[in-house]
Amino acid sequence: MPVLLPTSRSRGRSERARTRNPAPSGHAVVIAGGGPTGLMLAAELALAEVDVAVIERRASQELVGTRAGGLHARTIEILDQRGVADRFLREGQVTQLAGFAWTRLDISDLPTRHNYGLALRQSHIERLLAGWASELAVPIYRNSEVTGFAQDETGVDVMLSGGEALRASYLVGCDGGRSLVRKTAGVDFVGTDPTLSNLMAEVEMRDEPVWGLRHDALGFHGLSKTESGRVLAVVTEATLERTGEPGLHDLSEALVAVYGTDFGLHSPSWISRFTDAARQAASYRKGRVLLAGDAAHIHHSVGGQGLNTGVQDAVNLGWKLAQVVKGASPDSLLDTYHTERHPVAARVLRNTRAQIALLRRVDDGLRAAREIVSELLAMDAPRRSFGAMMSGLDIHYDLGEGHPLLGRRAPDLDVTIEGRRLRLFTLLHRARGVLLDFGKPGGIDVTPWADRVGYIAADTDGAWGLPCVGQVVAPGAVLVRPDGHVAWVGDQSQHGLSDALTRWFGPASG
């Protein structure tokens, strides 16, 4: 069987990021929401040559306000798997981003090429993702929102704000924490109500502010300088009584309560209010409707895991949805999206709640608890464990018992293929499955799945190291899913390979 190495490519079409109304014929997949999750999912589907479109209410990708502030290591790995990580690395600042309850976690000794985070504002992340989606010829219908839908056995009729309707095989709600898609589908959003309220704003101040973080009886606060030289303010409000859109008076009052002055604040670019409400969709799938990102889970921003979890949702869902849309796999494959991703977000909600509990107020007991946690996280084993958790490097899907690699992301080893040295992640640029055979070339036959899975005979002398696991026995062969997770580990005996290929890539052809 010929070895198919990845090449750099786009779909060879001109840019089609549309601002006009969508065509009445519809699309195979319609995505509600053009934020990071929706854009990543659109790109994943486009790589699989699925007809996908994004519905976005904003007239442009311009984002008002400072939201997420960076990418964690696992998200950078995912972008590297698609060959676009450099675009983000060029614009961001590499830093040790992972942390737990204000305790910084150094992950520089974890086994990954990207043992760091990337400080990069969401506005830049979205712009880069939108540019990539445009290169892949994904239509983005702007100035439009999904206002309702009705699904039947063969598809979904999607109603839009301009009065138009689209027919889609599947609808994916990436439309945020107040998701209309989730509500219309009747999916419960289970969790806890807020216990604190934060204001965040970008403003100018007449007086020099007190820079840095502060922790007191009200909660946690911070004043820092933005890229433009303005002040980014985060402050905990004294009560939960105020809701809705905040104004300058709200921010002034909150600053005075903490600092005794508002530093002569004026000229806000934006002001937003967010809480520590923590909720998760009871199901990520309702028939032909799926949920991803904030539509599926919300939590406080401490730890910076929200955007990253959403992007990782998209990469788990994209190839599975493509398999189903193209008829290669039964739609039951989509159930594994919920099975694998729901526990991941549940753990994010859990560790976020724990961090907020430690940061909530200042009293002797909490101060002592924070000090003890900080001391524990200074020890190597807890630091590595929590660092891997907060950066997403330890995510492990339960694919059954067996080799430690099973269900974990494949390490980005250097591999030699026909005398050519490549990184393993390079083999995933096309978002296709890959069977890597480290034994006798041609010893494993995946011909019946050749249209979905690439076979590559390779050599490697690299160490198979996993975060939180350590060094593992080098496998004879591995089946790597398009999302980078290992679906089968074996040898020339091929025991269990046919079952794994059928489970993840559908029945054999021919």
Side-chain angles (χ1 to χ4, degrees), residues 134-173:
S134 178
E135 292 171 18
L136 294 169
V138 174
I140 302 176
Y141 300 123
R142 299 194 179 277
N143 294 307
S144 186
E145 293 184 74
V146 173
T147 58
F149 62 85
Q151 61 172 312
D152 54 40
E153 292 183 357
T154 61
V156 187
D157 291 312
V158 184
M159 283 69 80
L160 305 182
S161 53
E164 307 89 353
L166 280 174
R167 181 69 173 174
S169 296
Y170 290 89
L171 170 66
V172 185

Side-chain angles (χ1 to χ4, degrees), residues 62 70 77 97 127 205 236 254 266 352 383 421 434 447 476:
E62 183 178 348
E77 284 188 338
L97 195 66
R127 173 174 49 79
M205 290 181 170
T236 303
H266 62 94
T352 302
R383 172 185 58 77
R421 198 165 180 82
V434 177
T447 301

Side-chain angles (χ1 to χ4, degrees), residues 203-265:
V203 299
E204 292 185 12
M205 290 181 170
R206 184 183 64 249
D207 305 324
E208 182 78 7
V210 179
W211 302 110
L213 299 171
R214 174 174 292 200
H215 197 229
D216 59 23
L218 288 178
F220 46 91
H221 327 279
L223 299 172
S224 60
K225 189 172 292 187
T226 69
E227 298 168 353
S228 64
R230 294 164 66 85
V231 178
L232 177 65
V234 181
V235 61
T236 303
E237 295 186 276
T239 72
L240 288 169
E241 294 175 2
R242 294 180 180 174
T243 58
E245 292 297 323
L248 199 60
H249 175 73
D250 297 305
L251 180 59
S252 175
E253 193 173 85
L255 286 167
V256 169
V258 175
Y259 298 96
T261 176
D262 66 4
F263 303 104
L265 73 92

